[in-house]
Amino acid sequence: MSTTTDTETRVDPAWWSWEGAHGGHVAALALTAVRDRFPGGAHPVRTLTTHYLAPVDGSPLHFSGTAPAAPGRRTATCVFTGHQNGTPVVLGSALFGARRQDVPYAQPAPRLPGPEDSPLLRLPAELSPFSQQLEIRPPTADRPLAGGERAELAAWIRFLDGRPLDAAAVVTLTDVLPPALYAVWDTPRPVPTAELTVHLTDVLDEGAVDGWALVTIRTEHAGGGWAVDDSVVRAADGRLLALARQSRVVRPQPAAGTVNS
């Protein structure tokens, strides 16, 4: 077995969510830790799966991982765990794979107004503090907590710090929109992520992409206190960057005055 060097990091308070650190940001931190610490990380990341065992707080976050030795193979998998104060808070796996020759195919991008023709949306800081790090411009009429008919949201998004869209940034973007159920609700409630799987495309093999990303999220089904969200991230020119699916826990609406508790 090949073992990654234990790494320590802390979540930037700017990337806080309702109950703890933003899930997509934590997944991106895990990817960065294992990609830079074991040999298979020399290949592009193809899939990242993260299970959230407990809310991640401001304590030091340690990532460690193991990868089976596979000499000569063009794929490699690293299984990782994130600990805080000696307790596992996240675990998951990252699949890395070399580029191969094939016949490319992609579904066409939706025809929507561009970011310059889409209004600015400011999400409430008390519900999603991390959203203050983003510029969000929805190209459709769907809005969070508007009581609409479809559990679907879309937005042009870019990071206010100007960071390029590399694999870690794209992983973060898969989880930055509110849960799709917010499009049909008119009152917020916690919908934390229990598991997030992100499939990244070969578009990022040649390096990061600059500028805006078009992010969409939708819920096909919710029931029994659970929901499944599917999200898509595209570059400004329409190229597909990532597909993601996450399992969410739908919690009861909190009592008045307890949103930040």
Side-chain angles (χ1 to χ4, degrees):
M1 299 290 285
S2 171
T3 304
T4 65
T5 304
D6 182 76
T7 61
E8 177 182 313
T9 187
R10 288 179 183 266
V11 176
D12 185 338
W15 283 96
W16 223 244
S17 188
W18 194 331
E19 296 184 323
H22 175 254
H25 181 66
V26 172
L29 291 176
L31 171 60
T32 299
V34 301
R35 179 188 60 200
D36 296 343
R37 293 296 193 279
F38 89 104
H43 296 316
V45 60
R46 302 301 175 187
T47 305
L48 177 72
T49 296
T50 307
H51 297 266
Y52 301 90
L53 309 180
V56 176
D57 59 27
S59 304
L61 177 59
H62 294 266
F63 285 108
S64 59
T66 59
R73 288 185 59 86
R74 299 178 69 183
T75 62
T77 299
C78 179
V79 179
F80 61 84
T81 306
H83 293 79
Q84 286 189 313
N85 302 311
T87 301
V89 290
V90 297
L91 61 85
S93 63
L95 171 68
F96 300 87
R99 187 179 182 89
R100 302 168 186 265
Q101 295 297 323
D102 65 358
V103 179
Y105 172 80
Q107 291 280 0
R111 294 186 178 182
L112 294 170
E116 65 282 355
D117 298 316
S118 303
L120 179 66
L121 174 65
R122 298 188 184 278
L123 297 176
E126 65 272 15
L127 295 181
S128 56
F130 69 86
S131 67
Q132 310 310 300
Q133 312 309 309
L134 307 165
E135 184 175 351
I136 304 173
R137 294 184 173 271
T140 71
D142 299 309
R143 296 290 186 275
L145 304 179
E149 297 181 354
R150 303 182 307 167
E152 185 171 353
L153 295 167
W156 291 101
I157 300 177
R158 65 180 173 185
F159 293 91
L160 291 178
D161 62 10
R163 75 183 67 178
L165 302 180
D166 61 6
V170 170
V171 166
T172 301
L173 287 176
T174 64
D175 191 37
V176 294
L177 284 178
L181 287 172
Y182 270 44
V184 297
W185 292 346
D186 56 14
T187 305
R189 69 178 68 178
V191 192
T193 302
E195 179 268 344
L196 170 66
T197 295
V198 182
H199 300 277
L200 295 115
T201 75
D202 64 313
V203 172
L204 296 173
D205 287 3
E206 304 302 324
V209 177
D210 291 322
W212 292 92
L214 177 63
V215 183
T216 61
I217 189 169
R218 68 179 182 180
T219 296
E220 293 288 353
H221 175 79
W226 290 85
V228 177
D229 273 0
D230 290 299
S231 55
V232 178
V233 181
R234 293 183 180 274
D237 60 8
R239 289 179 297 165
L240 182 66
L241 301 179
L243 301 168
R245 171 166 285 186
Q246 56 185 299
S247 295
R248 294 186 184 268
V249 179
V250 182
R251 293 189 176 160
Q253 183 176 325
T258 62
V259 168
N260 292 318
S261 63

